[in-house]
Amino acid sequence: MPDVACPTIKNVSCAKMMNRTLPEISVCTTTFNSSAYIREAIEGVLAQDVGVEIEYVISDDCSSDETPEILDEYAGKYPDIIRILHQPGNIGLNSNFMTAVRACRGKYIALLDGDDYWIDPHKLQLQYDFLENHPDIVLCSTASLKLYQQSGVYERSHCYLPANTGEVKVFDTAEMYKLEPFWLPTHSLLIRAKSVVFPDWFKDVVYVDRALRLILSLDGGLAFINRITCVYRLHDSNTSSDRHTSPEVCRGYMHTYRNFYHYSGGRFQSDASKAINHSLCEERRRILASCSGTDRVKHLAGNFLSALRHFQILKPRDFAEFVYHFLFIKSLLLYSRSEGHPDAG
């Protein structure tokens, strides 16, 4: 992976880094104004009981709160483990993520957002052993808890499964197109560094984790271990909590699936088609639920034009679905039902 310029690395000289044995595991965190939560994230990493060398790379995207000072405090205490990359200006979520991942030197990379945290001190050892023993697997995830910060309520991310059975499920590319994202929680992932690739279109994806899982799936299986090891925090400033319901996000999903389909060489056409079509239909549904007046007309027109360009018609049923969803038949039905009821339909 590309070298990181010396001036961006705090508390560890480049010469010392080059002379050290390369770590087996790099933990990778990105932060932006994360001062309220970053200590808990770091402490969960430092608490790991793992029998191999690790490093902890944290890239801060020019935070304006106390996050940089907190990061430097920890880097000063643990200079042989923690490396801080301070971005001189705000480069955005996707670029900061790619910068952090490229700075990792380990055989494996564990992902952890700055507002999430780990609660199992054996998490990394569990996943490391699994990947070492399964060379055909490129990603290992675990079960998680969701924490609703305002209420303090926890719930299991996989509440439809018995808790902590240790059962392992393995998914492939076709399943990644339709799998609910939280099946493989980002803050739980340990991935093979050699399988990580960032195509040109990656910098513009809506969610880097969804795109990354698709890309990784081309190189091997993606495993899930049913054991709770971490916590995903939902709060007011969470970058995903206020974005995932917008029509624009659905459009972004469609572009991700389309770009990945071409990146994969046109493989999994049927699965890609269903994912693209579903994203366009879901965008329309959310426009109808959340927009009104001229905004609704404008967004529906954009959705329709996008559908004309990208809707995948592989068989007669697809054409019928296109007519149903995009020639205003379903739109008018949903419009009449949704008047005064934003969540209807």
Side-chain angles (χ1 to χ4, degrees):
M1 292 187 179
D3 294 334
V4 178
C6 296
T8 67
I9 302 176
K10 295 287 186 178
N11 296 302
V12 182
S13 70
C14 286
K16 183 177 180 180
M17 293 303 305
M18 295 302 181
N19 291 332
R20 286 181 57 192
T21 303
L22 292 179
E24 280 288 286
I25 300 173
S26 296
V27 182
C28 179
T29 291
T30 57
T31 58
F32 177 70
N33 291 346
S34 307
S35 60
Y37 311 114
I38 188 59
R39 289 184 184 275
E40 198 164 12
I42 295 174
E43 292 291 345
V45 174
L46 296 175
Q48 289 297 299
D49 184 5
V50 58
V52 296
E53 184 175 354
I54 73 170
E55 68 171 356
Y56 191 6
V57 177
I58 308 174
S59 183
D60 181 66
D61 195 17
C62 198
S63 292
S64 58
D65 64 1
E66 297 177 355
T67 301
E69 289 76 15
I70 295 172
L71 297 181
D72 287 343
E73 172 193 331
Y74 274 97
K77 291 179 180 178
Y78 304 95
D80 292 334
I81 298 176
I82 296 178
R83 288 192 290 147
I84 310 300
L85 281 62
H86 289 293
Q87 302 304 328
N90 186 269
I91 61 175
L93 181 65
N94 293 13
S95 293
N96 195 35
F97 176 78
M98 291 188 287
T99 298
V101 170
R102 286 167 173 157
C104 293
R105 304 173 303 130
K107 178 180 179 181
Y108 302 106
I109 300 174
L111 302 182
L112 175 64
D113 286 336
D115 51 0
D116 303 326
Y117 59 99
W118 297 343
I119 55 176
D120 185 344
H122 306 292
K123 173 191 181 295
L124 288 182
Q125 189 68 59
L126 170 74
Q127 295 175 290
Y128 175 82
D129 290 341
F130 184 87
L131 289 175
E132 284 287 285
N133 292 321
H134 297 84
D136 57 325
I137 302 296
V138 297
L139 174 155
C140 180
S141 69
T142 72
S144 171
L145 295 175
K146 291 182 181 179
L147 167 60
Y148 295 88
Q149 185 68 29
Q150 186 171 359
S151 65
V153 173
Y154 291 85
E155 70 176 31
R156 291 194 294 119
S157 61
H158 299 75
C159 55
Y160 35 80
L161 297 177
N164 291 320
T165 63
E167 177 187 5
V168 176
K169 295 180 179 290
V170 178
F171 302 97
D172 59 16
T173 303
E175 291 167 307
M176 281 299 99
Y177 270 114
K178 52 183 176 285
L179 194 66
E180 195 276 324
F182 218 81
W183 252 106
L184 304 175
T186 307
H187 52 287
S188 78
L189 301 185
L190 185 67
I191 61 182
R192 294 188 189 276
K194 68 177 183 179
S195 299
V196 176
V197 179
F198 294 132
D200 289 341
W201 50 267
F202 192 90
K203 65 182 183 300
D204 298 317
V205 298
V206 176
Y207 287 120
V208 295
D209 46 2
R210 182 172 293 205
L212 182 61
R213 285 189 290 260
L214 283 165
I215 292 167
L216 289 170
S217 71
L218 294 177
D219 210 29
L222 289 79
F224 165 80
I225 301 175
N226 187 12
R227 172 168 154 179
I228 296 172
T229 69
C230 47
V231 175
Y232 171 69
R233 194 190 310 263
L234 291 127
H235 54 88
D236 290 342
S237 56
N238 186 287
T239 57
S240 62
S241 61
D242 59 352
R243 293 170 58 206
H244 74 279
T245 58
S246 71
E248 291 78 12
V249 166
C250 297
R251 179 81 62 90
Y253 288 158
M254 183 274 295
H255 286 297
T256 295
Y257 295 138
R258 183 199 62 187
N259 287 329
F260 176 73
Y261 170 71
H262 292 297
Y263 175 76
S264 70
R267 298 162 61 189
F268 314 102
Q269 184 177 18
S270 177
D271 300 290
S273 167
K274 290 176 182 177
I276 291 169
N277 294 352
H278 174 77
S279 296
L280 287 165
C281 294
E282 185 65 13
E283 180 192 9
R284 168 162 288 218
R285 186 186 71 81
R286 295 182 184 182
I287 289 170
L288 292 168
S290 62
C291 300
S292 62
T294 56
D295 280 344
R296 175 179 283 187
V297 173
K298 180 179 68 175
H299 287 299
L300 284 175
N303 175 257
F304 179 67
L305 292 174
S306 184
L308 285 176
R309 290 193 299 269
H310 304 300
F311 200 87
Q312 302 291 303
I313 297 178
L314 302 180
K315 50 187 181 295
R317 182 176 176 178
D318 293 333
F319 179 76
E321 184 176 301
F322 177 83
V323 173
Y324 181 63
H325 283 285
F326 295 107
L327 294 188
F328 298 98
I329 297 173
K330 190 172 184 182
S331 297
L332 292 173
L333 290 173
L334 287 178
Y335 182 87
S336 62
R337 276 191 245 155
S338 63
E339 286 302 312
H341 303 282
D343 297 326

